[in-house]
Amino acid sequence: VAVKSDGTVVAWGDNGLGQLGDGTSWQRLSPVAVQGIAGVVSVAAGIDYTVALKSDGTLMAWGWNSFGQLGNANGPYSLSPVVVAGLTEVVAIAVGYYHTVALKTDGTVMAWGHNTYGQLGDGTMDDRSSPVAVTGLNSVVAVTAGYGHTESIKADGTVVAWGNNT
C-alpha cells in the first residue's frame, strides 16, 4: 500500500478480505486506487487490513475486521474505507498483527482491535471494536506495534511497552 503525492492511496497484492480497499476481493498484481479516500498523509498495513491517516487528523480503515481492528462494528470486513468512529486529532498510526494504535496531538494514545496479550494497554484482555485510551500514558511522541505488543516513546526519551513479552 502506498500514499501518492496527491494524498490518494494505491494498493496491490492479496485482497481476499478487501484489504486493498478497491471495492472488490480480487487479487491485484499492479497498483489500484483505494476508493473514496483523499487527503492521506500516511498508511499502515496489518494482517489483511489497512489504516490511513488523513491530513485532518481522522482515520479510515478497510479489510478484515474480525477483532474490531477497523475501529467500527460494521461486520467481519469492509471492501472499501470506513471512518474510524470518534477519533480525531491523530498525528501518527501503527498497526500490529490485528490491533491498531493512534497517537493524538495531546500526546495520548488510543488503541483498538485484538487484545489477547493486553496489547491495547487498557488493563483488560478484551478485544475492542472502537478506540480506547491506553491507561496512564501521556507525553508520547511516537508509537509502534508488533504481533501482540505495542511500544511508545515519550517526550523525555523513555520507552514504554506493553502486551506480549515472549
Side-chain angles (χ1 to χ4, degrees):
V1 61
V3 179
K4 295 174 64 174
S5 61
D6 65 0
T8 60
V9 178
V10 294
W12 58 98
D14 185 28
N15 195 27
L17 295 166
Q19 60 266 42
L20 300 186
D22 69 344
T24 76
S25 58
W26 302 328
Q27 177 180 354
R28 302 296 186 159
L29 300 179
S30 58
V32 294
V34 174
Q35 293 185 346
I37 193 167
V40 174
V41 295
S42 69
V43 292
I47 300 300
D48 297 322
Y49 79 106
T50 308
V51 180
L53 170 59
K54 295 178 63 174
S55 60
D56 66 1
T58 61
L59 300 179
M60 304 215 40
W62 58 94
W64 198 32
N65 195 32
S66 62
F67 299 106
Q69 62 268 38
L70 299 187
N72 63 66
N74 289 348
Y77 60 89
S78 178
L79 299 179
S80 57
V82 294
V83 174
V84 176
L87 192 57
T88 61
E89 300 182 0
V90 175
V91 294
I93 54 175
V95 298
Y97 223 58
Y98 299 119
H99 74 290
T100 308
V101 183
L103 172 60
K104 297 186 65 172
T105 56
D106 64 2
T108 60
V109 177
M110 305 292 285
W112 60 97
H114 195 233
N115 198 27
T116 296
Y117 305 107
Q119 62 265 44
L120 300 186
D122 68 345
T124 75
M125 294 171 77
D126 299 329
D127 296 345
R128 304 290 184 177
S129 62
S130 60
V132 294
V134 175
T135 306
L137 191 61
N138 56 38
S139 302
V140 173
V141 296
V143 291
T144 189
Y147 170 74
H149 62 281
T150 308
E151 302 88 21
S152 66
I153 300 174
K154 296 182 71 170
D156 65 4
T158 58
V159 175
V160 180
W162 57 96
N164 191 348
N165 192 35
T166 303

